[in-house]
Amino acid sequence: MLRRRYVAFSPLVLFLFAYIFVYVAPYYGDLFGGDAWVLKLSSQELDVGVENVRYFFYSWAAGVLVLVPFYLRRAKLESNRFALIPLGTTVRVVSLMLLVYFLYIGSGVDFNPVAMVDRMINPRAYTYIKEGFGPLIFINTCMQLIALFMVLNGFFSTKRKVYLLLLLVVVSSMILGGGKSQFLMVVIFSALLYQKSGMGGKVTLGRKIGIFALFLLLMLGAFFSAFVAYGDSDKKADAVDVLSAVVDYQREAYYSAKVAKDFDWDPEFVLVAVVDTATAVVPRFLWEDKPYFGFYNRYWRPLYEPDTVTYHTTTYGALAEGHMVFGGLGPFFYGLLWAFFVAVLYKRIVLASKLHTFFVSVYLSCLVYFFLRAGFLFSTPWNVVIFSAVSYMFLSRLERRGHGRV
């Protein structure tokens, strides 16, 4: 349908990858020797879960088949390359990134050198520090991704080896003290920027298939590497154990079915969604008695995980969120919402003519997997707002100077 306007590794592919991983693979977890959480569901819960997963996908597919061709009906896919940002500017941004990273790693441990190094190596032992440091975490991630974007653009444009050294510095800062998401973000940023630098009529179908296969393998490799690095230590014996850990980790299909069975829709849920999302941006140092909010803390944790610590943040999936907001129509409405989201991202990736627009589109593409797990409400939209604002301050300034045009 899209012909030359088709991008091999795109938000569409990222959504399908995430959908299969989060909502389909868990139903086959027993094949990999895992705990197969969904098989612990009752027959009634299992039926509800499967129906919701199907209706969500059917709704999404119908929306995408209409929206993506509609958005690109007059689009002309050309070979583009972002203007090269000067090496000196890139070095300064990387240096600023390292300064923010130093503040991030040192905060919460009194900038003790030994504790900072330990936090870089064992980040899971310091998850409690996230409480009260949300804005700093967002800004640190934003600076890392801006630096990654500028370094990758410089390398794809010039092939100079100095950019590989800068890339090593940026990627190391993302992985050391980071989380599993950083592994995926490196691959997705690389794939989408690489395609943007060479897309167009001259790219043959065979090359597009090759690009898709290469980056899909890299993304799978990054995903497994993340679980080896940050997964449970007792599930690293071999590849099968890692695969089992990956499948067991995805519990959204299980919890979405539980939520759909246990909670009848109530207008109170909509009010909670609105109020808690609006106040999520207020930091705890300004609101000392700020409660732990959201569907998880108000309804789900007391019922399903009452013994977890207060800063625990299990994700229950976008389908569970959709059920709380729209009831039985949740899978259909959220399917269409996701179709709209992915279609807009696809359009932005293909047609972006400004550095900041493309950068934010790539960032949101990276979050497709995480949005599918965490939903769109509460802290999620504020994460995007803060990220967009910080990145705009940097990248729009480059554009005003005449850089960053495609």
Side-chain angles (χ1 to χ4, degrees):
M1 294 173 67
L2 297 176
R3 297 185 180 181
R4 290 186 176 182
R5 294 167 295 183
Y6 176 69
V7 178
F9 195 90
S10 69
L12 294 174
V13 170
L14 292 172
F15 173 86
L16 290 171
F17 174 87
Y19 168 78
I20 292 171
F21 234 61
V22 174
Y23 286 113
V24 177
Y27 285 95
Y28 300 92
D30 58 319
L31 300 179
F32 306 107
D35 293 334
W37 275 76
V38 295
L39 298 185
K40 300 175 184 179
L41 297 169
S42 67
S43 59
Q44 186 178 7
E45 291 170 337
L46 193 63
D47 289 341
V48 171
V50 171
E51 285 181 358
N52 285 345
V53 168
R54 286 176 173 170
Y55 295 152
F56 172 72
F57 180 75
Y58 297 156
S59 180
W60 175 85
V64 161
L65 289 173
V66 173
L67 290 174
V68 175
F70 173 78
Y71 280 139
L72 296 180
R73 64 191 185 283
R74 297 179 181 177
K76 183 180 181 182
L77 188 60
E78 298 178 349
S79 179
N80 300 304
R81 185 182 297 276
F82 286 105
L84 177 64
I85 300 171
L87 177 60
T89 302
T90 302
V91 171
R92 287 193 292 273
V93 171
V94 172
S95 300
L96 181 59
M97 177 215 71
L98 290 175
L99 175 61
V100 175
Y101 175 70
F102 174 79
L103 296 175
Y104 164 72
I105 290 294
S107 60
V109 296
D110 297 326
F111 294 92
N112 182 298
V114 176
M116 291 171 67
V117 172
D118 186 56
R119 186 180 182 186
M120 293 167 66
I121 299 173
N122 302 298
R124 288 174 62 88
Y126 296 84
T127 53
Y128 66 92
I129 297 178
K130 292 181 179 180
E131 182 178 349
F133 290 94
L136 179 58
I137 295 172
F138 292 152
I139 293 173
N140 177 65
T141 302
C142 184
M143 289 304 306
Q144 288 175 334
L145 294 181
I146 289 174
L148 176 67
F149 180 79
M150 293 173 65
V151 170
L152 286 172
N153 179 57
F155 176 70
F156 289 145
S157 300
T158 67
K159 303 299 189 294
R160 293 177 61 181
K161 295 181 180 179
V162 66
Y163 284 104
L164 293 179
L165 177 61
L166 294 173
L167 182 62
L168 177 63
V169 172
V170 175
V171 172
S172 297
S173 74
M174 294 177 67
I175 292 176
L176 295 175
K180 290 184 283 290
S181 62
Q182 270 75 352
F183 285 82
L184 285 175
M185 285 183 173
V186 171
V187 175
I188 295 172
F189 260 76
S190 302
L192 295 178
L193 185 57
Y194 175 78
Q195 288 181 130
K196 184 68 171 179
S197 68
M199 63 173 54
K202 295 182 180 180
V203 180
T204 63
L205 177 61
R207 185 181 175 188
K208 288 184 178 181
I209 293 174
I211 292 172
F212 166 78
L214 172 63
F215 283 108
L216 185 60
L217 288 175
L218 288 175
M219 191 162 69
L220 287 170
F223 207 95
F224 277 73
S225 299
F227 273 86
V228 170
Y230 298 125
D232 297 332
S233 59
D234 61 341
K235 294 185 177 180
K236 297 180 182 179
D238 54 36
V240 175
D241 289 335
V242 174
L243 182 60
S244 174
V246 171
V247 174
D248 293 345
Y249 186 76
Q250 314 296 329
R251 299 179 184 177
E252 286 74 19
Y254 169 81
Y255 281 123
S256 293
K258 296 286 287 186
V259 168
K261 175 63 171 58
D262 295 338
F263 289 89
D264 294 327
W265 182 83
D266 191 298
E268 176 186 81
F269 300 153
V270 179
L271 181 63
V272 167
V274 173
V275 174
D276 285 8
T277 299
T279 59
V281 70
V282 182
R284 294 189 183 276
F285 68 83
L286 294 178
W287 185 2
E288 294 183 359
D289 298 326
K290 181 179 179 180
Y292 289 91
F293 54 85
F295 294 142
Y296 175 73
N297 285 290
R298 290 184 182 271
Y299 307 107
W300 301 336
R301 185 160 68 92
L303 179 62
Y304 303 121
E305 298 178 294
D307 298 327
T308 55
V309 294
T310 55
Y311 54 83
H312 189 70
T313 55
T314 297
T315 57
Y316 276 41
L319 280 177
E321 180 180 276
H323 174 79
M324 297 296 279
V325 179
F326 296 108
L329 296 177
F332 300 98
F333 284 155
Y334 257 52
L336 293 175
L337 176 62
W338 269 96
F340 173 76
F341 178 63
V342 172
V344 170
L345 279 183
Y346 194 99
K347 176 184 177 182
R348 294 288 186 179
I349 291 292
V350 170
L351 302 179
S353 61
K354 292 185 178 181
L355 197 64
H356 176 256
T357 302
F358 182 73
F359 175 74
V360 172
S361 301
V362 174
Y363 171 68
L364 291 175
S365 298
C366 289
L367 295 184
V368 164
Y369 166 73
F370 304 101
F371 284 172
L372 199 59
R373 294 188 60 216
F376 287 117
L377 300 177
F378 310 117
S379 61
T380 298
W382 293 111
N383 183 347
V384 175
V385 169
I386 294 173
F387 185 91
S388 299
V390 174
S391 62
Y392 180 79
M393 288 189 295
F394 282 87
L395 300 178
S396 64
R397 185 176 181 182
L398 293 175
E399 290 177 335
R400 286 195 298 268
R401 291 181 175 181
H403 303 296
R405 306 294 292 187
V406 218

